[in-house]
Every structure is written in C-alpha cells, then in structure tokens.
Amino acid sequence: MIQIILILSAVLLSLAILISLFRVAKGPSMPDRVIALDMIGINLISLVAVISLIQETTAFLEVILLLGILAFIGTVAFSKFIEKGVVIERKRD
Amino acid sequence: MSANEISSWIIGIIVLLGAVLSLISAFGIIRLPDIYTRSHAATKASTLSVMCILTGAFLFFSIVEGLYSARILLGIVFVFITAPVGGHLISRAAYHSGVSLWDASVQDELNGKKQKQPSSSARESNNG
C-alpha cells in the first residue's frame, strides 16, 4: 500500500516535469524558460528522493544535494547573463 | 498496527502531499498570465513540495531504517535558502531586460523609480 502511494507520487512528479517542459518549449521570453528549467531541477530532486524511498536504498542521497547546488548555480549564471550580457565580468582598472 | 506501520503511513501522506503541491505548482506555471506570477507559483509551491518530500525521506530513513542522514537535512536547508534567491534573481533579470507585465496589472512602482534615476544600469556598474 505504501509502495502504491510512493509510485503514485512519482507519477505525479513526472507529470509536473512534463507540464513545465511544455512551458520551456512555449515560453514567450527567455526568463520564462529559465524559471521552468529551475522548476524542473527542483522536481528532479524530489523525484530522486521518491525513487530512493521506493528502492529503500541510501545510495542516491548525494545526488539530491548535488542537483540542488547545480540548479542554483545554473539559475544564477543564466540570470546574470540575461541581465548584464556576461556571466563572469572582467576586472576594470 | 505497529509503530513502524503508522510512521510509514504518515511518511506516505507527507510524500503524497509534496507531489500534489508540485503538480499544483506546475499547473500554476502553465496557467498564469505573465512571468512574475509564474515565478511566484514556481518558487513558492515547488520549494514547499521539495521540502515536504525530503522531510518524508528523512523520516523514513531515520525511523524505519534507523539511519540519520545529514545529507538530506543539508539538502532541505540548501533548497530552502537558495530557491527564493534564484526566483528573485530571475525576476529581477526579467524586469531589467524589459519583459512587460500583465495587461491587467495596475501598479508598477519600480518603473517610477527607474524614470527618476534614468542611469540605473550605469549606477550598478559603478558600484559593482
């Protein structure tokens, strides 16, 4: 019964990823796509957690932390690129 | 019912709540009209959903398996800190790159401030 609940929530998370993938494809401006990609990253974290609950293993717990860090770094880099045109600024003198 | 069974039911309910919240957030990102309302939906609801699911995973591994995983706790804290910051940064980038608001929105206070000081981007580059 618990397995059925966990599999149901994995299906719901996959549906959420699919819907936000539609926003990535359609989104009228660039920041729309970045927000949708950030949300896909966050949903992937929860999907990894649910799958490690289904399989009852602790082997995937590093993946959770790593995906969180990578999603944040990607969002910050994209927003700097959209706002200023460069990701890493040159030092002025 | 044994204590293990009751706690696994509670964990299942928490995880299902997180998944439903994530689905609500996805519907918000598909239905809402402009980018600022969409970032409102994507940031808040999906942060709460991932925190629910990670809390469920931490409770499962600590009660049922007897393993206290500090990595899941670090993941919860990190997502809770960084997801609103990411939403703020991308909304700010959207405003400064000229993405327009929804037609029905009536208040835009930042626009008045930008016209009062027209060289806001130059001022930022002087500061940074």
Side-chain angles (χ1 to χ4, degrees), chain A residues 30-31 34 73-89, chain B residues 89-90 92-94 96-97:
Chain A
M30 201 55 120
V34 179
I73 291 176
T75 307
V76 170
F78 266 119
S79 64
K80 262 192 95 171
F81 178 69
I82 289 172
E83 192 169 350
K84 299 183 177 174
V86 290
V87 178
I88 302 172
E89 297 172 25
Chain B
L89 280 176
I90 197 66
R92 187 167 168 272
H96 285 303
S97 67

Side-chain angles (χ1 to χ4, degrees), chain B residues 5-85:
Chain B
E5 205 169 341
I6 294 172
S7 51
S8 65
W9 270 103
I10 292 173
I11 288 159
I13 288 172
I14 290 175
V15 170
L16 192 63
L17 181 72
V20 171
L21 272 173
S22 156
L23 197 62
I24 289 172
S25 158
F27 278 122
I29 209 174
I30 211 73
R31 290 288 310 260
L32 287 173
D34 70 342
I35 182 169
Y36 307 103
T37 48
R38 277 199 285 262
S39 89
H40 160 84
T43 308
K44 281 181 189 164
S46 62
T47 305
L48 185 60
S49 88
V50 70
M51 282 174 63
C52 276
I53 290 178
L54 288 184
T55 308
F58 178 74
L59 287 179
F60 179 82
F61 286 122
S62 66
I63 295 175
V64 180
E65 306 258 319
L67 180 134
Y68 298 96
S69 165
R71 285 172 292 221
I72 297 184
L73 283 182
L74 264 180
I76 293 174
V77 171
F78 195 79
V79 167
F80 183 60
I81 290 174
T82 60
V85 176

Side-chain angles (χ1 to χ4, degrees), chain A residues 49-62:
Chain A
V50 169
I51 284 175
S52 75
L53 280 184
I54 289 175
Q55 307 233 334
E56 298 194 10
T57 173
T58 61
F60 301 142
L61 297 186
E62 287 91 355

Side-chain angles (χ1 to χ4, degrees), chain A residues 14-91:
Chain A
S14 317
L15 204 60
I17 290 179
L18 207 63
I19 291 174
S20 38
L21 206 59
F22 173 70
R23 177 53 75 189
V24 173
K26 190 196 164 206
S29 66
M30 201 55 120
D32 278 311
R33 298 192 170 98
V34 179
I35 282 181
L37 280 175
D38 187 33
M39 199 185 136
I40 286 177
I42 286 181
N43 279 337
L44 268 181
I45 298 173
S46 356
L47 197 56
V48 169
V50 169
I51 284 175
S52 75
L53 280 184
I54 289 175
Q55 307 233 334
E56 298 194 10
T57 173
T58 61
F60 301 142
L61 297 186
E62 287 91 355
V63 179
I64 295 173
L65 202 51
L66 206 59
L67 271 180
I69 294 170
L70 284 182
F72 178 61
I73 291 176
T75 307
V76 170
F78 266 119
S79 64
K80 262 192 95 171
F81 178 69
I82 289 172
E83 192 169 350
K84 299 183 177 174
V86 290
V87 178
I88 302 172
E89 297 172 25
R90 254 183 295 170
K91 204 179 279 288

